[in-house]
Amino acid sequence: VGSPPLNQSQTIFNCVESPRSDGSLRPSHPFLLITAVIGVLLASLAFFGSARAATLTVDPNTCGSGNYCSIQAAINAAVDGDIIFLAPGSYTERLTIYKPLTLQGQSRAGVLINASSFAGYAIDAQGNHAFVFKSFTLDGPDSDASGNYGLKVAGENATVTIEDVSVIGTGRSGIDLNGLSGGTVRNVSSTGALKGVGIALTDCSNVTLENITTSGNAWGGVAIYTYGRYYTGGSDGISLIGMNSF
């Protein structure tokens, strides 16, 4: 019985068996191969496109023209991995960050986050995320009431990078790190804690402190604690390098 004839609108894709090195045969189909390659390329483009971080700029002088008026508004709008860039100026805010973000000012001298009139943590970053803080000054809560800390980072598997940051005038400890699995604190100063230390690490591991300056803190410069109530107990792998002054 012969095959039925094909009309001119039909297309035939030939499947040819090509020999393997061991003598067996494998089907070879150019069309399927090209389709597979295109699929891989499209998937790669989608992955790298989604992985690219966006930069959200906060500038009260130009907000309404694409920039944000407040830091917290930009944080709320950001997605995981985004960068919040702070234009020079003073920002009277208390911040909460529960997603992996970078908070970066134009410079330590040029950007002030002023939380002196608020209660609680001036910056509260929580969750098993990667947090980055760079290039700003943080003025913490003036009162020494319980909970009035400066910069808090907490999470069982959280990591943090803090660079070129000054924390001043906090009620309790200036920088309070809890439960971290890794981090770097570099070129940082923490001064003027009314009750507390400049930098506190509780149940943290694999954190490097480099070029740290602390002064005027009621309970000392740097403290390493083991508590185990909120995070796995134990602090390990805490390194102090560079030029430090306590």
Side-chain angles (χ1 to χ4, degrees), residues 86-105:
L86 311 180
S90 180
Y91 302 84
T92 302
E93 299 189 52
R94 175 181 178 272
L95 307 176
T96 57
I97 306 173
Y98 300 151
K99 63 185 78 171
L101 290 178
T102 294
L103 184 63
Q104 180 168 352

Side-chain angles (χ1 to χ4, degrees), residues 114-135:
N114 186 355
S116 60
S117 61
F118 295 91
Y121 284 97
I123 299 178
D124 185 9
Q126 294 195 48
N128 297 332
H129 306 306
F131 301 101
V132 179
F133 301 94
K134 291 184 177 182
S135 304

Side-chain angles (χ1 to χ4, degrees), residues 173-175 190 196-200 212-215 217-223 245-246:
S173 296
I175 297 175
S190 183
V197 299
I199 302 175
I212 304 300
T213 300
T214 66
S215 65
N217 301 296
W219 298 352
V222 174
S245 175
F246 304 117

Side-chain angles (χ1 to χ4, degrees), residues 148-160:
N148 283 357
Y149 294 78
L151 170 57
K152 173 185 181 178
V153 183
E156 184 71 48
N157 292 302
T159 63
V160 71

